[in-house]
Amino acid sequence: MIEGPGIIAFPTPIVNRQGRHMVNNWWNFIQFRLFPPTCILCHRPGAGELDLCAGCRAELPRPGPACRRCAEPLASDAGWVCGRCQRRPPAFDRTLTLFRYASPVDRLILDLKHHRRLANARLLGQLLHLAATDWPACDLLVPVPLHPRRQWRRGFNQSLEIARFAAHGLKLPLDSRRCRRLRCTDTQAELSARARRANVRGAFRAEGDWRGRRVAIIDDVMTTGATADALARALKARGALEVQVWVCARA
Ligand SMILES: [Zn+2]
Ligand SMILES: [Zn+2]
């Protein structure tokens, strides 16, 4: 399968005994030698190894001042935590957001999800890698799992595809085996924040021993943080020391 400007589907990852995916070096060689980086938005040559040119990158919708914990937009940037996180702190400790969920980032994410534009996953994963380089260290990445029924219907998990590239760049292991989504929560988009929390409560289960691990959850879009909260809760119930959330866009 070859799609988009310069991307091939990831080869079947090697899974070690802990159920972690490790990335092959030859894949890196192939993707950059055979398919030189090309801007996904304007089709000019990409900057460095990115499928994005410097001009288009400068115009992407950067997040403004936001809550340190959940990335909820705030009126001013004083390193504050929003009112909701003060009243009811989420199970995750901090959130790294690349962009606001606005044009053209919304289109990149929708095209990845609904039209299998895996080139967009490569770009978003690379941008997460670059942004996370100055971020507090973590031990491994965990993409938000889809319910098996939805994954079967879509054919892939967009968060896993993004996480593969971030993990590759950061040389961190990726664990997509030990967290499962137990319920299919289809109608999340129409729900209020409170209803979203109720909808995803207990929706995830983490298996095995996560004691002392510093985990980064990877997701494409964060809206209220309810999904990340539920997954972080499952990880902390298994002993995870710290859970960060890295998202491509904050609605
Ligand atoms: Zn461009
Ligand atoms: Zn907050």
Side-chain angles (χ1 to χ4, degrees):
M1 176 180 39
I2 298 179
E3 311 192 28
I7 186 82
I8 53 170
F10 224 89
T12 308
I14 298 163
V15 180
N16 69 14
R17 282 211 192 92
Q18 285 80 44
R20 292 181 197 143
H21 299 291
M22 303 305 289
V23 175
N24 299 335
N25 278 335
W26 61 263
W27 176 81
N28 195 32
F29 174 83
I30 288 171
Q31 67 164 342
F32 291 116
R33 291 304 173 275
L34 293 185
F35 304 102
T38 304
C39 182
I40 278 174
L41 298 170
C42 72
H43 307 295
R44 281 193 276 258
E49 293 191 338
L50 290 178
D51 287 323
L52 189 66
C53 72
C56 290
R57 190 177 180 187
E59 304 213 329
L60 292 177
R62 302 259 158 223
C67 171
R68 272 186 304 169
R69 190 133 186 187
C70 75
E72 169 85 12
L74 294 176
S76 68
D77 199 358
W80 288 337
V81 171
C82 74
R84 204 175 63 201
C85 287
Q86 284 175 31
R87 286 191 303 278
R88 172 198 268 275
F92 53 82
D93 299 279
R94 65 185 84 214
T95 302
L96 169 66
T97 314
L98 286 182
F99 304 110
R100 283 181 288 114
Y101 190 67
S103 176
V105 171
D106 52 357
R107 183 45 53 195
L108 288 179
I109 292 171
L110 291 172
D111 281 347
L112 165 61
K113 256 155 105 157
H114 302 303
H115 305 292
R116 245 182 200 273
R117 284 287 175 79
L118 294 175
N120 300 6
R122 172 162 93 171
L123 174 62
L124 293 168
Q126 287 173 323
L127 291 170
L128 272 181
H129 153 216
L130 295 175
T133 306
D134 310 326
W135 198 248
C138 69
D139 304 315
L140 78 169
L141 309 188
V142 172
V144 171
L146 291 179
H147 187 270
R149 196 178 339 138
R150 186 181 286 188
Q151 175 140 356
W152 182 79
R153 242 186 274 142
R154 189 173 293 165
F156 68 104
N157 175 356
Q158 73 281 359
S159 299
L160 170 58
E161 299 309 316
I162 293 166
R164 289 188 206 282
F165 292 98
H168 179 67
L170 289 160
K171 298 183 173 57
L172 284 175
L174 170 63
D175 191 328
S176 63
R177 297 293 172 99
R178 292 190 299 159
C179 287
R180 288 191 298 132
R181 195 168 194 137
L182 306 175
R183 292 204 316 274
C184 204
T185 48
D186 276 293
T187 50
Q188 190 83 335
E190 286 86 50
L191 300 176
S192 69
R194 181 187 292 261
R196 277 169 185 253
R197 275 201 304 276
N199 195 35
V200 293
R201 191 169 298 139
F204 297 98
R205 181 186 294 154
E207 278 151 10
D209 186 0
W210 293 78
R211 274 176 299 178
R213 307 316 299 277
R214 295 167 305 168
V215 182
I217 293 173
I218 311 294
D219 207 356
D220 52 346
V221 183
M222 180 191 257
T223 304
T224 61
T227 301
D229 181 41
L231 179 53
R233 215 163 279 281
L235 288 163
K236 287 203 167 166
R238 286 287 181 172
L241 178 66
E242 189 190 62
V243 179
Q244 307 180 11
V245 185
W246 299 356
V247 290
C248 301
R250 183 69 159 83

